[in-house]
Amino acid sequence: NTRHVNSRPQGRLACSSPTTMTRALCSALACAAVAVVFVLSCSSPTNAATRSPQLRGVHPNDESKYSGGSGASFTCADSSQSIPFDHINDDFCDCLDGSDEPGTSACEGQFYCLNEAFEGEYILSSRVNDGVCDCCDGSDEYDGRVSCEDTCIEAGREAREAAERERLLRVEGHKKKVAYIQQAKAQEQESRKRLEEIEAKMASLQQSVEEFLGKKNQAEQPEAEAKEQFDKQWEATLEARRLEATQSLFQSLDADSDGQLSVTDLQQHLQLDDDQDGSVSAEEAEDVLDIDGDGALNETENAITFDVFREHVYEEVLQRFNEDSGAYSVDDTKPDYDDVIQELIDAAEKARQAHRQAEEEKRKAEDEARDIKGKLELNFGPDREFAALHGQCFELETTEYKFKVCAFDQVTQEPKNGGRSTRLGKWKEWQAEGDNKYAYMMYSGGEKCWNGPERSTKVSVQCGLENSVTDAAEPNRCEYTLVLHTPAACAAPPKSAHDEL
């Protein structure tokens, strides 16, 4: 519909015409227009219902641009041309940028809803007189085809109530945040004081470890010497017992007492009767003497001496003697140490325990110092307000899973119907959004997805009266999002509230 001023419709009355009749009609219309303006100006303040058609859809800040006196003209927003003021909102695009039609749908522009008792807003010009009430004051539907109820008062009330709830949330939340900050500062002071104490006593702990190490070494030397002497004596005794038992069995088998074992000798002992037929056959005897297992006896195997018997035959024959084997076996139960040696052992063990205790105290002090340093180095916010979350875990149950966010540690996911927990990420860093440097907690390096990347989680940190987790989602494969509500994220409320509604 865009066209220039000189191509306007012929139906428009040209008040600049020099004819007498036209002048008279124009004069009458002008008087009527003045009367209308006078009535409107005297009745009530300007609102959507009483605004002149010329100002319809115009932001209050721009009204002066659309209000012209006699003989004045309107300049298009792009300064491309000037047109008479009565061409404004005439449902025809005179300006190329459409700035002359803020209150109609003729151009591709914006219509401003005053929405008194609520808040003004712009809508697309295409929505003007489209049969749908877009403005809460109904000012976009003025052609009479539909009747729009003014819902601005109710909307304003709801908005004020919501704003009041938000304000109270921030007020109460910020009170808790202040308490968090005070607690964090006190804990930081205590931690630094404790760290100084630990570092101050580390030298004495190390000295204690070295001192008890020397005492331990001093006590262990006589203990080791006494035990070594005792063990040597026991080994000699045990060896003598073994020799005696072996000799006894050898002599029992040597029927002819010639100092050698033969097939004939072994046939005299029914303990070697493997087939239980009442006699020991030559084959059964040979099987015992066949050391190399080749099925034939060589010269050595035909006449087994005591030394060969002791090394190769004794254990096998002992097993075959069944109940009688006890008479030829050796009791190798080691006796207890005597009282003198036990006293040396007890003294050495006491020294070892003292040394272990000194080492444990040093290790605990080192671990505590490392933990304190690690916590002090963590970024808990500008005032360490997020320190209150450290060491705490917050859970969220959905229809399928239980999510657990452990602040500054990890995020996990566990099936509700059973199954192992899956790590969705380990604490990495904060991520900013605009001026808020602490908008998101980032957890990365979680367990890998099947044929996919490592899992990661982005936790949005928002103001809340209590610490809780909501809104679990997986917008991308293996990438999770959660919302953590906490008083630590509550900004200070304005010192002087101003209700624009």
Side-chain angles (χ1 to χ4, degrees):
N1 290 335
T2 303
R3 49 191 169 86
H4 298 293
V5 176
N6 58 7
S7 60
R8 300 188 61 75
Q10 296 300 317
R12 177 181 297 279
L13 179 63
C15 287
S16 58
S17 172
T19 65
T20 302
M21 183 182 67
T22 302
R23 289 195 187 98
L25 184 56
C26 287
S27 176
L29 290 173
C31 291
V34 170
V36 171
V37 172
F38 175 78
V39 171
L40 291 176
S41 63
C42 294
S43 61
S44 62
T46 301
N47 54 41
T50 61
R51 296 182 89 190
S52 68
Q54 189 170 287
L55 296 178
R56 186 179 287 131
V58 177
H59 193 288
N61 293 342
D62 297 327
E63 286 186 357
S64 60
K65 301 177 183 178
Y66 289 84
S67 303
S70 177
S73 60
F74 172 80
T75 301
C76 300
D78 61 3
S79 302
S80 60
Q81 60 178 317
S82 295
I83 62 174
F85 271 96
D86 61 356
H87 290 188
I88 295 173
N89 282 338
D90 65 349
D91 205 22
F92 183 85
C93 292
D94 295 287
C95 297
L96 295 177
D97 60 6
S99 57
D100 61 312
E101 296 298 316
T104 73
S105 60
C107 308
E108 294 181 0
Q110 289 184 313
F111 178 95
Y112 185 77
C113 308
L114 282 177
N115 292 344
E116 292 181 339
F118 185 41
E119 56 185 7
E121 64 172 336
Y122 281 103
I123 64 171
L124 295 175
S125 295
S126 59
R127 296 182 179 180
V128 175
N129 290 326
D130 63 350
V132 179
C133 302
D134 297 290
C135 303
C136 69
D137 61 4
S139 58
D140 58 312
E141 300 298 321
Y142 55 82
D143 63 359
R145 288 189 298 162
V146 295
S147 177
C148 296
E149 180 183 358
D150 190 334
T151 60
C152 289
I153 294 178
E154 178 63 20
R157 183 186 64 79
E158 292 177 356
R160 284 190 293 274
E161 291 177 354
E164 179 63 11
R165 288 194 297 270
E166 179 68 17
R167 186 188 71 82
L168 291 176
L169 169 66
R170 293 192 175 278
V171 169
E172 296 303 317
H174 189 258
K175 288 180 182 179
K176 291 189 175 183
K177 178 180 180 179
V178 171
Y180 280 2
I181 293 173
Q182 294 173 345
Q183 179 184 356
K185 289 182 178 179
Q187 289 178 345
E188 182 181 7
Q189 291 178 353
E190 292 177 3
S191 296
R192 294 191 182 279
K193 180 180 179 181
R194 177 58 181 161
L195 185 59
E196 291 177 357
E197 293 174 353
I198 294 174
E199 291 175 343
K201 72 175 185 179
M202 283 304 298
S204 62
L205 289 175
Q206 179 61 34
Q207 183 178 355
S208 178
V209 170
E210 294 174 357
E211 177 183 344
F212 283 109
L213 176 61
K215 291 181 179 180
K216 180 180 79 76
N217 293 338
Q218 185 176 0
E220 285 180 337
Q221 183 176 354
E223 174 203 32
E225 292 175 352
K227 289 172 68 175
E228 181 181 7
Q229 183 178 1
F230 181 90
D231 291 344
K232 286 182 178 180
Q233 292 176 352
W234 164 243
E235 284 297 329
T237 300
L238 187 60
E239 182 63 24
R241 291 180 181 178
R242 289 170 179 160
L243 178 61
E244 182 180 358
T246 306
Q247 288 176 338
S248 178
L249 181 56
F250 181 83
Q251 292 171 358
S252 175
L253 295 173
D254 187 10
D256 56 8
S257 302
D258 63 352
Q260 295 178 338
L261 297 182
S262 63
V263 172
T264 304
D265 290 332
L266 297 188
Q267 285 182 304
Q268 309 304 314
H269 300 279
L270 292 178
Q271 293 90 338
L272 304 179
D273 181 15
D274 292 338
D275 57 11
Q276 302 293 315
D277 62 354
S279 64
V280 178
S281 64
E283 290 78 8
E284 289 174 329
E286 290 175 356
D287 183 61
V288 174
L289 299 177
D290 187 11
I291 298 173
D292 56 16
D294 62 356
L297 300 183
N298 55 35
E299 183 178 352
T300 300
E301 294 168 342
N302 265 318
I304 298 292
T305 63
F306 175 75
D307 290 337
V308 175
F309 173 80
R310 181 182 183 185
E311 182 176 358
H312 299 288
V313 182
Y314 170 73
E315 292 295 339
E316 182 180 353
V317 173
L318 183 65
Q319 293 176 5
R320 296 194 183 200
F321 265 61
N322 297 325
E323 293 95 3
D324 295 338
S325 62
Y328 305 105
S329 61
V330 177
D331 181 8
D332 56 0
T333 304
K334 187 178 181 179
D336 295 333
Y337 292 112
D338 58 35
D339 293 343
V340 175
I341 297 177
Q342 191 60 49
E343 287 181 3
L344 294 174
I345 293 174
D346 293 343
E349 182 58 33
K350 184 177 180 180
R352 282 190 288 267
Q353 185 175 356
H355 177 250
R356 284 195 297 267
Q357 185 174 351
E359 284 188 320
E360 181 67 12
E361 290 180 4
K362 179 189 174 187
R363 184 191 63 78
K364 286 182 178 179
E366 290 173 339
D367 291 346
E368 184 180 0
R370 182 170 54 253
D371 291 342
I372 292 175
K373 289 179 180 178
K375 188 173 180 179
L376 290 173
E377 291 171 357
L378 279 173
N379 184 356
F380 288 138
D383 296 312
R384 297 185 68 78
E385 58 268 33
F386 292 103
L389 307 181
H390 184 261
Q392 294 196 55
C393 297
F394 312 102
E395 295 184 356
L396 168 66
E397 288 194 5
T398 63
T399 54
E400 296 183 59
Y401 298 101
K402 180 170 68 176
F403 293 86
K404 182 185 290 186
V405 177
C406 296
F408 305 100
D409 184 11
Q410 64 177 1
V411 178
T412 59
Q413 177 194 64
E414 182 179 330
K416 289 182 66 176
N417 58 356
R420 73 176 189 87
S421 176
T422 301
R423 178 182 284 177
L424 304 184
K426 297 177 289 185
W427 168 253
K428 182 181 180 183
E429 62 188 359
W430 289 100
Q431 186 177 95
E433 183 177 64
D435 295 333
N436 183 6
K437 296 181 180 179
Y438 302 91
Y440 299 97
M441 286 178 152
M442 304 302 295
Y443 294 81
S444 62
E447 294 183 38
K448 288 194 66 175
C449 289
W450 177 257
N451 289 333
E454 292 180 339
R455 291 176 171 86
S456 62
T457 305
K458 184 177 185 179
V459 180
S460 175
V461 183
Q462 300 179 11
C463 174
L465 287 180
E466 304 296 336
N467 295 317
S468 63
V469 175
T470 62
D471 303 329
E474 187 179 0
N476 298 305
R477 184 170 181 245
C478 307
E479 295 179 3
Y480 302 84
T481 59
L482 290 160
V483 177
L484 172 62
H485 302 271
T486 173
C490 293
K495 293 183 179 179
S496 59
H498 176 65
D499 188 359
E500 296 183 353
L501 302 178

